[in-house]
Amino acid sequence: MESPKAQPPRLRHTVADGVATVVISNPAKRNAMTAGMWRALPELLGQLAVQEAVRVLVLTGEGGTFCAGADISSLQAPGEDPQSLAVCAEEALAAFPKPTLAVVRGYCVGGGCQLATACDLRFAEQGSRFGVTPAKLGIVYPAASTRRLAALVGPAAAKYLLFSGELIGTERALRTGLVDEVLPEDELGRRAAEFTRILVSRSRLTQCAAKEFAAGRTDRDAYWAEQARGSGDTAEGVAAFLERRAPRFTWAPEAAGFPASTGR
């Protein structure tokens, strides 16, 4: 049997119980993203976005590392623009129309941190390490990525990370808002599974609208008001509450044509 480190760099994915799990797999290089992996991510996300069976997306890394950044050796071909590849993947992840959760173990550095911050939420294992390291390479961090980081952790924390390139631990990451929950090693998987089950059970109408509003989109208020009026989710939610039962929400983004109309 081929050893894990001998496997080619790739993005693996599964779909089960409403959750699509995308695994960054390049264990020989701490799950660094190759050019091929950067290119593959937007296409994969596009496929998952329109699947009705997918309610939540989880992004994680193979084994004990989330992602150590970009695989520089794979990005040195003539005409290759590593930053454009990473930004395209990051933007595709940020635009994914359903809730996204990064489950982080070990190193989450450079391009790995770029991907994690593009997710809606981040759960991390105690002892994980985070860093945004362009200052170590003399690289101007992309404008959109810088703004996203600053919006997440605040200008001061973003400057600390970007100016220094230093790695921070989970305690500081939690304090700055870079991660949402920190769990012991033996609890991270259980908590992530529990939380995604919660997300799957909630109203997709609420989630999709909230995701757009939280991202600052201001041109779709009328669209969401119309969806709310016609969905039946509010009536079902109230009825379920009064009857003390689990709600059966029926609004689906695919039926509403939602993923195809999320462009900014």
Side-chain angles (χ1 to χ4, degrees), residues 25-86:
S25 181
N26 187 7
K29 295 190 176 181
R30 289 186 175 179
N31 296 332
M33 292 282 289
T34 66
M37 293 164 75
W38 286 121
R39 290 193 196 94
L41 186 57
E43 181 179 355
L44 174 58
L45 293 173
Q47 294 169 0
L48 295 173
V50 297
Q51 290 186 27
E52 189 171 358
V54 175
R55 300 281 303 274
V56 177
L57 179 86
V58 170
L59 181 68
T60 193
E62 186 83 40
T65 298
F66 181 76
C67 175
D71 182 351
I72 302 300
S73 64
S74 77
L75 299 170
Q76 294 178 321
E80 197 75 82
D81 185 351
Q83 193 170 89
S84 293
L85 290 175

Short mmCIF file of all heavy atoms in Angstrom, two decimals, residues 25-86:
data_model
loop_
_atom_site.label_atom_id
_atom_site.label_comp_id
_atom_site.label_asym_id
_atom_site.label_seq_id
_atom_site.Cartn_x
_atom_site.Cartn_y
_atom_site.Cartn_z
N SER A 25 -4.41 17.81 0.98
CA SER A 25 -3.57 16.63 1.17
C SER A 25 -2.26 16.74 0.38
O SER A 25 -2.24 16.56 -0.83
CB SER A 25 -4.33 15.37 0.76
OG SER A 25 -3.54 14.21 0.95
N ASN A 26 -1.21 17.09 1.09
CA ASN A 26 0.15 17.08 0.56
C ASN A 26 1.08 16.83 1.73
O ASN A 26 1.90 17.67 2.10
CB ASN A 26 0.47 18.41 -0.13
CG ASN A 26 1.82 18.41 -0.84
OD1 ASN A 26 2.48 17.37 -0.94
ND2 ASN A 26 2.24 19.56 -1.35
N PRO A 27 0.93 15.67 2.39
CA PRO A 27 1.60 15.43 3.67
C PRO A 27 3.11 15.50 3.60
O PRO A 27 3.76 15.80 4.61
CB PRO A 27 1.12 14.03 4.08
CG PRO A 27 0.60 13.41 2.83
CD PRO A 27 0.08 14.53 2.00
N ALA A 28 3.69 15.24 2.44
CA ALA A 28 5.15 15.32 2.32
C ALA A 28 5.66 16.73 2.54
O ALA A 28 6.83 16.95 2.89
CB ALA A 28 5.60 14.80 0.96
N LYS A 29 4.78 17.74 2.35
CA LYS A 29 5.18 19.14 2.51
C LYS A 29 4.22 19.89 3.42
O LYS A 29 3.89 21.04 3.19
CB LYS A 29 5.27 19.82 1.15
CG LYS A 29 6.36 19.23 0.26
CD LYS A 29 6.60 20.05 -0.99
CE LYS A 29 7.77 19.48 -1.79
NZ LYS A 29 8.06 20.28 -3.01
N ARG A 30 3.79 19.23 4.48
CA ARG A 30 2.90 19.83 5.48
C ARG A 30 1.66 20.43 4.82
O ARG A 30 1.19 21.51 5.20
CB ARG A 30 3.63 20.89 6.30
CG ARG A 30 4.66 20.33 7.27
CD ARG A 30 5.23 21.40 8.16
NE ARG A 30 6.14 20.86 9.16
CZ ARG A 30 6.79 21.59 10.05
NH1 ARG A 30 6.61 22.91 10.07
NH2 ARG A 30 7.59 21.03 10.93
N ASN A 31 1.15 19.73 3.83
CA ASN A 31 -0.08 20.13 3.13
C ASN A 31 0.03 21.48 2.44
O ASN A 31 -0.96 22.22 2.31
CB ASN A 31 -1.28 20.11 4.09
CG ASN A 31 -1.58 18.72 4.58
OD1 ASN A 31 -1.31 17.72 3.92
ND2 ASN A 31 -2.14 18.63 5.79
N ALA A 32 1.23 21.82 1.99
CA ALA A 32 1.39 23.04 1.20
C ALA A 32 0.60 22.91 -0.09
O ALA A 32 0.50 21.83 -0.67
CB ALA A 32 2.88 23.27 0.89
N MET A 33 0.05 24.01 -0.54
CA MET A 33 -0.79 24.03 -1.74
C MET A 33 0.08 24.17 -2.99
O MET A 33 0.83 25.13 -3.14
CB MET A 33 -1.77 25.19 -1.67
CG MET A 33 -2.83 25.06 -0.61
SD MET A 33 -4.19 23.95 -1.08
CE MET A 33 -5.02 24.92 -2.33
N THR A 34 -0.03 23.22 -3.90
CA THR A 34 0.66 23.30 -5.19
C THR A 34 -0.16 24.15 -6.15
O THR A 34 -1.34 24.46 -5.90
CB THR A 34 0.85 21.91 -5.80
OG1 THR A 34 -0.45 21.38 -6.12
CG2 THR A 34 1.58 20.98 -4.84
N ALA A 35 0.45 24.50 -7.28
CA ALA A 35 -0.27 25.27 -8.29
C ALA A 35 -1.53 24.52 -8.73
O ALA A 35 -2.60 25.12 -8.90
CB ALA A 35 0.65 25.53 -9.48
N GLY A 36 -1.40 23.21 -8.93
CA GLY A 36 -2.55 22.42 -9.34
C GLY A 36 -3.66 22.43 -8.30
O GLY A 36 -4.86 22.45 -8.65
N MET A 37 -3.30 22.40 -7.04
CA MET A 37 -4.30 22.43 -5.97
C MET A 37 -5.00 23.78 -5.91
O MET A 37 -6.22 23.86 -5.73
CB MET A 37 -3.65 22.08 -4.63
CG MET A 37 -3.16 20.64 -4.56
SD MET A 37 -2.00 20.34 -3.19
CE MET A 37 -3.13 20.33 -1.79
N TRP A 38 -4.23 24.87 -6.07
CA TRP A 38 -4.84 26.20 -6.10
C TRP A 38 -5.86 26.28 -7.24
O TRP A 38 -6.95 26.82 -7.07
CB TRP A 38 -3.79 27.29 -6.29
CG TRP A 38 -2.92 27.61 -5.11
CD1 TRP A 38 -1.55 27.52 -5.06
CD2 TRP A 38 -3.32 28.10 -3.82
NE1 TRP A 38 -1.10 27.91 -3.81
CE2 TRP A 38 -2.15 28.28 -3.05
CE3 TRP A 38 -4.55 28.41 -3.25
CZ2 TRP A 38 -2.18 28.75 -1.73
CZ3 TRP A 38 -4.60 28.88 -1.94
CH2 TRP A 38 -3.42 29.04 -1.20
N ARG A 39 -5.47 25.76 -8.40
CA ARG A 39 -6.36 25.82 -9.56
C ARG A 39 -7.61 24.95 -9.35
O ARG A 39 -8.70 25.29 -9.83
CB ARG A 39 -5.64 25.35 -10.82
CG ARG A 39 -4.56 26.28 -11.33
CD ARG A 39 -4.12 25.89 -12.73
NE ARG A 39 -2.87 26.51 -13.08
CZ ARG A 39 -1.67 25.96 -12.93
NH1 ARG A 39 -1.58 24.73 -12.45
NH2 ARG A 39 -0.58 26.60 -13.26
N ALA A 40 -7.44 23.82 -8.70
CA ALA A 40 -8.55 22.87 -8.55
C ALA A 40 -9.60 23.35 -7.55
O ALA A 40 -10.77 22.96 -7.67
CB ALA A 40 -8.00 21.51 -8.11
N LEU A 41 -9.21 24.16 -6.58
CA LEU A 41 -10.15 24.51 -5.51
C LEU A 41 -11.37 25.28 -6.01
O LEU A 41 -12.51 24.92 -5.65
CB LEU A 41 -9.43 25.27 -4.40
CG LEU A 41 -10.27 25.57 -3.15
CD1 LEU A 41 -10.84 24.30 -2.55
CD2 LEU A 41 -9.44 26.34 -2.12
N PRO A 42 -11.23 26.35 -6.82
CA PRO A 42 -12.44 27.05 -7.28
C PRO A 42 -13.40 26.15 -8.05
O PRO A 42 -14.62 26.25 -7.87
CB PRO A 42 -11.88 28.17 -8.16
CG PRO A 42 -10.50 28.41 -7.64
CD PRO A 42 -10.00 27.05 -7.26
N GLU A 43 -12.87 25.28 -8.89
CA GLU A 43 -13.74 24.38 -9.66
C GLU A 43 -14.48 23.42 -8.73
O GLU A 43 -15.68 23.20 -8.89
CB GLU A 43 -12.91 23.59 -10.67
CG GLU A 43 -13.75 22.65 -11.52
CD GLU A 43 -12.93 21.89 -12.55
OE1 GLU A 43 -11.72 22.17 -12.69
OE2 GLU A 43 -13.51 21.01 -13.21
N LEU A 44 -13.78 22.87 -7.75
CA LEU A 44 -14.41 21.97 -6.80
C LEU A 44 -15.49 22.68 -6.01
O LEU A 44 -16.60 22.16 -5.81
CB LEU A 44 -13.35 21.39 -5.86
CG LEU A 44 -13.86 20.51 -4.72
CD1 LEU A 44 -14.66 19.32 -5.24
CD2 LEU A 44 -12.70 20.04 -3.84
N LEU A 45 -15.19 23.89 -5.55
CA LEU A 45 -16.18 24.65 -4.78
C LEU A 45 -17.41 24.95 -5.62
O LEU A 45 -18.54 24.91 -5.12
CB LEU A 45 -15.55 25.95 -4.27
CG LEU A 45 -14.45 25.78 -3.22
CD1 LEU A 45 -13.80 27.13 -2.94
CD2 LEU A 45 -14.98 25.17 -1.94
N GLY A 46 -17.21 25.26 -6.90
CA GLY A 46 -18.34 25.51 -7.78
C GLY A 46 -19.24 24.30 -7.91
O GLY A 46 -20.48 24.42 -7.94
N GLN A 47 -18.64 23.13 -7.99
CA GLN A 47 -19.42 21.89 -8.08
C GLN A 47 -20.21 21.64 -6.79
O GLN A 47 -21.38 21.25 -6.82
CB GLN A 47 -18.49 20.71 -8.37
CG GLN A 47 -17.82 20.77 -9.73
CD GLN A 47 -16.71 19.74 -9.87
OE1 GLN A 47 -16.44 18.96 -8.95
NE2 GLN A 47 -16.06 19.73 -11.02
N LEU A 48 -19.57 21.85 -5.65
CA LEU A 48 -20.22 21.59 -4.37
C LEU A 48 -21.31 22.61 -4.07
O LEU A 48 -22.32 22.29 -3.43
CB LEU A 48 -19.18 21.58 -3.25
CG LEU A 48 -18.15 20.46 -3.32
CD1 LEU A 48 -17.07 20.66 -2.26
CD2 LEU A 48 -18.80 19.09 -3.14
N ALA A 49 -21.13 23.84 -4.54
CA ALA A 49 -22.08 24.91 -4.24
C ALA A 49 -23.47 24.61 -4.78
O ALA A 49 -24.48 25.01 -4.18
CB ALA A 49 -21.58 26.24 -4.80
N VAL A 50 -23.56 23.92 -5.90
CA VAL A 50 -24.86 23.70 -6.53
C VAL A 50 -25.46 22.34 -6.18
O VAL A 50 -26.52 21.98 -6.69
CB VAL A 50 -24.76 23.85 -8.07
CG1 VAL A 50 -24.37 25.27 -8.43
CG2 VAL A 50 -23.77 22.85 -8.66
N GLN A 51 -24.80 21.60 -5.32
CA GLN A 51 -25.34 20.30 -4.91
C GLN A 51 -26.31 20.49 -3.75
O GLN A 51 -25.94 20.99 -2.69
CB GLN A 51 -24.21 19.36 -4.50
CG GLN A 51 -23.34 18.89 -5.65
CD GLN A 51 -22.33 17.85 -5.22
OE1 GLN A 51 -22.54 17.11 -4.25
NE2 GLN A 51 -21.21 17.77 -5.93
N GLU A 52 -27.56 20.07 -3.94
CA GLU A 52 -28.56 20.22 -2.89
C GLU A 52 -28.18 19.43 -1.65
O GLU A 52 -28.55 19.79 -0.53
CB GLU A 52 -29.92 19.80 -3.41
CG GLU A 52 -31.05 20.11 -2.45
CD GLU A 52 -32.42 19.89 -3.06
OE1 GLU A 52 -32.48 19.52 -4.25
OE2 GLU A 52 -33.42 20.07 -2.35
N ALA A 53 -27.43 18.35 -1.83
CA ALA A 53 -27.03 17.52 -0.69
C ALA A 53 -26.02 18.22 0.21
O ALA A 53 -25.79 17.80 1.34
CB ALA A 53 -26.44 16.20 -1.17
N VAL A 54 -25.39 19.28 -0.28
CA VAL A 54 -24.38 20.00 0.49
C VAL A 54 -25.02 21.17 1.21
O VAL A 54 -25.55 22.09 0.59
CB VAL A 54 -23.23 20.50 -0.42
CG1 VAL A 54 -22.25 21.36 0.39
CG2 VAL A 54 -22.51 19.32 -1.06
N ARG A 55 -24.98 21.12 2.52
CA ARG A 55 -25.54 22.20 3.35
C ARG A 55 -24.45 23.03 4.02
O ARG A 55 -24.65 24.19 4.32
CB ARG A 55 -26.45 21.59 4.43
CG ARG A 55 -27.61 20.77 3.89
CD ARG A 55 -28.73 21.66 3.43
NE ARG A 55 -29.19 22.52 4.51
CZ ARG A 55 -30.10 22.15 5.41
NH1 ARG A 55 -30.66 20.94 5.36
NH2 ARG A 55 -30.48 23.00 6.36
N VAL A 56 -23.30 22.39 4.27
CA VAL A 56 -22.19 23.03 4.99
C VAL A 56 -20.89 22.53 4.35
O VAL A 56 -20.83 21.38 3.89
CB VAL A 56 -22.21 22.66 6.49
CG1 VAL A 56 -21.01 23.26 7.23
CG2 VAL A 56 -23.52 23.10 7.15
N LEU A 57 -19.88 23.38 4.33
CA LEU A 57 -18.56 22.99 3.83
C LEU A 57 -17.55 23.05 4.96
O LEU A 57 -17.46 24.06 5.67
CB LEU A 57 -18.11 23.91 2.70
CG LEU A 57 -16.73 23.59 2.13
CD1 LEU A 57 -16.85 22.53 1.04
CD2 LEU A 57 -16.06 24.83 1.57
N VAL A 58 -16.78 21.97 5.13
CA VAL A 58 -15.68 21.93 6.08
C VAL A 58 -14.38 21.85 5.29
O VAL A 58 -14.24 21.02 4.39
CB VAL A 58 -15.79 20.73 7.03
CG1 VAL A 58 -14.52 20.55 7.86
CG2 VAL A 58 -17.00 20.90 7.96
N LEU A 59 -13.42 22.70 5.63
CA LEU A 59 -12.09 22.66 5.03
C LEU A 59 -11.10 22.27 6.12
O LEU A 59 -11.05 22.89 7.19
CB LEU A 59 -11.72 24.03 4.45
CG LEU A 59 -10.34 24.12 3.78
CD1 LEU A 59 -10.30 23.29 2.50
CD2 LEU A 59 -9.98 25.58 3.47
N THR A 60 -10.28 21.26 5.85
CA THR A 60 -9.30 20.81 6.83
C THR A 60 -8.07 20.28 6.12
O THR A 60 -8.01 20.28 4.89
CB THR A 60 -9.92 19.76 7.77
OG1 THR A 60 -9.06 19.55 8.89
CG2 THR A 60 -10.17 18.45 7.05
N GLY A 61 -7.08 19.85 6.88
CA GLY A 61 -5.85 19.34 6.31
C GLY A 61 -5.64 17.87 6.65
O GLY A 61 -6.20 17.36 7.63
N GLU A 62 -4.85 17.22 5.84
CA GLU A 62 -4.52 15.81 6.07
C GLU A 62 -3.68 15.67 7.34
O GLU A 62 -2.71 16.41 7.55
CB GLU A 62 -3.72 15.28 4.88
CG GLU A 62 -3.44 13.80 4.93
CD GLU A 62 -4.60 12.97 4.42
OE1 GLU A 62 -5.23 13.35 3.43
OE2 GLU A 62 -4.86 11.92 5.04
N GLY A 63 -4.04 14.75 8.21
CA GLY A 63 -3.23 14.46 9.40
C GLY A 63 -3.20 15.61 10.39
O GLY A 63 -4.22 16.24 10.66
N GLY A 64 -2.01 15.90 10.92
CA GLY A 64 -1.88 16.86 12.00
C GLY A 64 -1.51 18.27 11.58
O GLY A 64 -1.09 19.07 12.43
N THR A 65 -1.67 18.60 10.29
CA THR A 65 -1.36 19.94 9.81
C THR A 65 -2.50 20.44 8.95
O THR A 65 -3.05 19.68 8.13
CB THR A 65 -0.07 19.96 8.97
OG1 THR A 65 1.03 19.55 9.80
CG2 THR A 65 0.23 21.34 8.43
N PHE A 66 -2.87 21.70 9.11
CA PHE A 66 -3.90 22.27 8.24
C PHE A 66 -3.29 22.59 6.87
O PHE A 66 -3.61 21.94 5.88
CB PHE A 66 -4.48 23.54 8.87
CG PHE A 66 -5.56 24.18 8.05
CD1 PHE A 66 -6.83 23.64 8.02
CD2 PHE A 66 -5.32 25.34 7.31
CE1 PHE A 66 -7.85 24.22 7.26
CE2 PHE A 66 -6.32 25.92 6.55
CZ PHE A 66 -7.58 25.36 6.52
N CYS A 67 -2.41 23.55 6.81
CA CYS A 67 -1.74 23.90 5.56
C CYS A 67 -0.59 24.84 5.87
O CYS A 67 -0.79 25.87 6.52
CB CYS A 67 -2.71 24.55 4.58
SG CYS A 67 -1.95 25.14 3.05
N ALA A 68 0.60 24.49 5.41
CA ALA A 68 1.79 25.29 5.70
C ALA A 68 2.04 26.37 4.66
O ALA A 68 3.10 26.98 4.63
CB ALA A 68 3.02 24.38 5.79
N GLY A 69 1.07 26.62 3.78
CA GLY A 69 1.21 27.69 2.80
C GLY A 69 1.26 27.17 1.39
O GLY A 69 0.68 26.14 1.06
N ALA A 70 1.97 27.90 0.55
CA ALA A 70 2.12 27.52 -0.85
C ALA A 70 3.36 26.67 -1.04
O ALA A 70 4.40 26.90 -0.40
CB ALA A 70 2.20 28.76 -1.73
N ASP A 71 3.26 25.67 -1.90
CA ASP A 71 4.42 24.85 -2.27
C ASP A 71 5.21 25.64 -3.31
O ASP A 71 4.91 25.62 -4.50
CB ASP A 71 3.95 23.52 -2.84
CG ASP A 71 5.10 22.58 -3.20
OD1 ASP A 71 6.26 23.03 -3.16
OD2 ASP A 71 4.84 21.42 -3.53
N ILE A 72 6.21 26.38 -2.84
CA ILE A 72 6.95 27.31 -3.69
C ILE A 72 7.57 26.59 -4.89
O ILE A 72 7.59 27.13 -6.00
CB ILE A 72 8.04 28.04 -2.89
CG1 ILE A 72 7.42 28.79 -1.69
CG2 ILE A 72 8.79 29.01 -3.77
CD1 ILE A 72 6.41 29.84 -2.07
N SER A 73 8.02 25.38 -4.70
CA SER A 73 8.69 24.67 -5.79
C SER A 73 7.76 24.41 -6.97
O SER A 73 8.21 24.25 -8.10
CB SER A 73 9.26 23.33 -5.28
OG SER A 73 8.21 22.46 -4.87
N SER A 74 6.44 24.36 -6.70
CA SER A 74 5.49 24.09 -7.78
C SER A 74 5.01 25.36 -8.45
O SER A 74 4.23 25.31 -9.40
CB SER A 74 4.28 23.33 -7.24
OG SER A 74 3.40 24.21 -6.54
N LEU A 75 5.46 26.51 -7.95
CA LEU A 75 4.95 27.79 -8.44
C LEU A 75 6.00 28.60 -9.18
O LEU A 75 5.88 29.81 -9.33
CB LEU A 75 4.41 28.61 -7.26
CG LEU A 75 3.26 27.97 -6.48
CD1 LEU A 75 2.99 28.75 -5.20
CD2 LEU A 75 2.01 27.92 -7.33
N GLN A 76 7.05 27.94 -9.63
CA GLN A 76 8.16 28.66 -10.26
C GLN A 76 8.21 28.47 -11.77
O GLN A 76 9.19 28.83 -12.40
CB GLN A 76 9.48 28.22 -9.62
CG GLN A 76 9.59 28.62 -8.15
CD GLN A 76 10.88 28.16 -7.50
OE1 GLN A 76 11.36 27.06 -7.76
NE2 GLN A 76 11.45 29.00 -6.66
N ALA A 77 7.16 27.92 -12.35
CA ALA A 77 7.13 27.76 -13.80
C ALA A 77 7.03 29.12 -14.47
O ALA A 77 6.42 30.05 -13.92
CB ALA A 77 5.93 26.89 -14.20
N PRO A 78 7.64 29.28 -15.65
CA PRO A 78 7.56 30.56 -16.37
C PRO A 78 6.12 30.98 -16.58
O PRO A 78 5.26 30.18 -16.97
CB PRO A 78 8.26 30.25 -17.70
CG PRO A 78 9.15 29.09 -17.41
CD PRO A 78 8.44 28.27 -16.38
N GLY A 79 5.85 32.24 -16.30
CA GLY A 79 4.51 32.76 -16.50
C GLY A 79 3.55 32.47 -15.37
O GLY A 79 2.40 32.91 -15.40
N GLU A 80 3.97 31.72 -14.37
CA GLU A 80 3.11 31.38 -13.23
C GLU A 80 2.98 32.58 -12.30
O GLU A 80 3.96 33.26 -12.03
CB GLU A 80 3.70 30.20 -12.47
CG GLU A 80 2.72 29.50 -11.56
CD GLU A 80 1.73 28.65 -12.34
OE1 GLU A 80 2.06 27.52 -12.71
OE2 GLU A 80 0.61 29.16 -12.57
N ASP A 81 1.79 32.86 -11.85
CA ASP A 81 1.56 33.95 -10.90
C ASP A 81 0.96 33.35 -9.62
O ASP A 81 -0.25 33.20 -9.51
CB ASP A 81 0.60 34.98 -11.49
CG ASP A 81 0.41 36.20 -10.58
OD1 ASP A 81 0.89 36.15 -9.42
OD2 ASP A 81 -0.21 37.18 -11.02
N PRO A 82 1.83 32.97 -8.68
CA PRO A 82 1.36 32.29 -7.47
C PRO A 82 0.31 33.09 -6.71
O PRO A 82 -0.67 32.52 -6.21
CB PRO A 82 2.63 32.12 -6.64
CG PRO A 82 3.76 32.22 -7.63
CD PRO A 82 3.29 33.16 -8.69
N GLN A 83 0.50 34.41 -6.63
CA GLN A 83 -0.44 35.21 -5.85
C GLN A 83 -1.83 35.21 -6.47
O GLN A 83 -2.84 35.11 -5.77
CB GLN A 83 0.08 36.64 -5.71
CG GLN A 83 -0.67 37.45 -4.67
CD GLN A 83 -0.01 38.77 -4.38
OE1 GLN A 83 -0.30 39.75 -5.04
NE2 GLN A 83 0.87 38.78 -3.39
N SER A 84 -1.89 35.30 -7.80
CA SER A 84 -3.20 35.28 -8.47
C SER A 84 -3.92 33.96 -8.25
O SER A 84 -5.13 33.93 -8.05
CB SER A 84 -3.03 35.54 -9.97
OG SER A 84 -2.59 36.85 -10.20
N LEU A 85 -3.17 32.85 -8.30
CA LEU A 85 -3.77 31.55 -8.06
C LEU A 85 -4.36 31.47 -6.65
O LEU A 85 -5.48 30.99 -6.46
CB LEU A 85 -2.73 30.44 -8.23
CG LEU A 85 -2.24 30.15 -9.65
CD1 LEU A 85 -1.13 29.10 -9.61
CD2 LEU A 85 -3.38 29.68 -10.54
N ALA A 86 -3.60 31.94 -5.67
CA ALA A 86 -4.07 31.89 -4.28
C ALA A 86 -5.27 32.80 -4.07
O ALA A 86 -6.24 32.42 -3.39
CB ALA A 86 -2.93 32.27 -3.34
#
